[in-house]
């Protein structure tokens, strides 16, 4: 059974960098056809896609976050990570890591982490 | 970037009722790029439908999806108590993924 677990500070100061890691068990992040993804959800709001790193190493970012965002992977640890710089209170949210996949006839996130709450505050 | 608009914002219904949720795209999209999720309070989303009409593994057949072009629909044929939640549609674009704002189905 594939499981994803987010880890990282729950509190980040404004202007600093938010760093989260997702540890994957039960599958290899080098295997396909998967998109190892980050999403977030602001309090009482909807879902927002942050970005993904594909099993092949291709990376895509949400255009609205691209200038502050870095997603990377460490295949030796079977982890992928998120770094979001220059954070503000608007980055306070629940952050989810997830595995998206391509089916023959569509796409979907079939495995989610439990989520981790990140608060930006001094 | 594709903008998805879901309607209505909130539905107040009773168990046993049939419900139809709408997701409209700002421009025509490929059906295989449209996905539906269910999210309950305090939980991560759950994949319901991918490719506009394909049920994900373990999803009851009371859930169905349809549509093409710009208009997509999620139907729950007969609401069960555990179905009350927020439902999101999502578009998988070539370089950007977007969500609708969600429809809350409440008792």
């Amino acid at each position: 059974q594939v499981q994803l677990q987010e880890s990282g500070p729950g509190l980040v100061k404004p202007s600093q960098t938010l760093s989260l890691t997702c540890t994957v068990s039960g599958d290899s992040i080098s295997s396909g056809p998967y998109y190892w993804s980050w999403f977030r959800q602001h309090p009482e709001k909807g879902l927002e896609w942050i970005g993904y790193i594909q099993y092949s190493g291709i990376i895509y970012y949400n255009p609205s976050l691209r200038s502050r965002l870095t997603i990377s992977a460490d295949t030796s640890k079977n982890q992928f990570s998120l770094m979001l710089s220059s954070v503000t209170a608007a980055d306070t949210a629940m952050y989810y890591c997830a595995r998206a996949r391509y089916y023959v006839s569509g796409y979907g996130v079939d495995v989610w982490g439990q989520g981790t709450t990140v608060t930006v505050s001094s | 970037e594709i903008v998805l608009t879901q309607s209505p914002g909130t539905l107040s219904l009773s168990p046993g009722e049939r419900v139809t949720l709408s997701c409209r795209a700002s421009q025509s999209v490929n059906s295989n790029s449209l996905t539906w999720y269910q999210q309950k309070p305090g939980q991560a989303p759950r994949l319901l439908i991918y490719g506009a009409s394909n049920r994900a593994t373990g999803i009851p057949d009371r859930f169905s999806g349809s549509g093409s072009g710009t208009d997509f629909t999620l139907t729950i044929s007969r609401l069960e108590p555990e179905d009350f939640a927020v439902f999101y549609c999502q578009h998988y674009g070539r370089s950007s993924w977007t969500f609708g704002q969600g429809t809350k189905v409440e008792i």
Side-chain angles (χ1 to χ4, degrees), chain A residues 35 37 39 41 45-49 52 60-63 66 96 100 102-103 105-110 112-114, chain B residues 1 31-33 35 37 39 43-47 49-51 54 56 88 90 92 94-101:
Chain A
Y35 305 79
S37 309
F39 298 88
Q41 188 166 31
K45 298 293 184 183
L47 295 161
E48 179 180 25
W49 169 68
Y52 68 74
Y60 276 102
Y61 298 140
N62 184 321
R66 181 179 292 132
Y96 293 99
Y102 174 69
Y103 299 85
S105 52
Y107 297 83
V109 174
D110 62 341
W112 296 80
Q114 65 183 25
Chain B
E1 181 179 287
S31 294
N32 76 354
S33 66
T35 302
Y37 298 91
Q39 187 178 33
Q43 297 184 16
R46 176 175 74 146
L47 177 64
I49 301 287
Y50 63 88
N54 302 281
Y88 295 96
Q90 183 194 11
Y92 285 81
R94 181 175 175 84
S95 59
S96 182
W97 298 352
T98 54
F99 287 91
Q101 81 278 21

Side-chain angles (χ1 to χ4, degrees), chain A residues 5-82:
Chain A
Q5 178 67 59
E6 305 89 351
S7 60
L11 180 64
V12 182
K13 288 181 168 35
S15 79
Q16 293 191 342
T17 296
L18 181 165
S19 296
L20 296 175
T21 295
C22 183
T23 300
V24 179
S25 58
D27 194 6
S28 168
I29 63 171
S30 299
S31 64
Y34 300 129
Y35 305 79
W36 302 99
S37 309
W38 289 98
F39 298 88
R40 69 181 182 180
Q41 188 166 31
H42 296 98
E44 304 302 319
K45 298 293 184 183
L47 295 161
E48 179 180 25
W49 169 68
I50 296 172
Y52 68 74
I53 181 164
Q54 207 171 334
Y55 66 100
S56 59
I58 294 173
I59 300 171
Y60 276 102
Y61 298 140
N62 184 321
S64 68
L65 299 171
R66 181 179 292 132
S67 63
R68 301 191 290 131
L69 185 58
T70 302
I71 291 176
S72 60
D74 185 337
T75 55
S76 66
K77 296 181 179 178
N78 217 33
Q79 296 174 332
F80 62 103
S81 299
L82 159 73

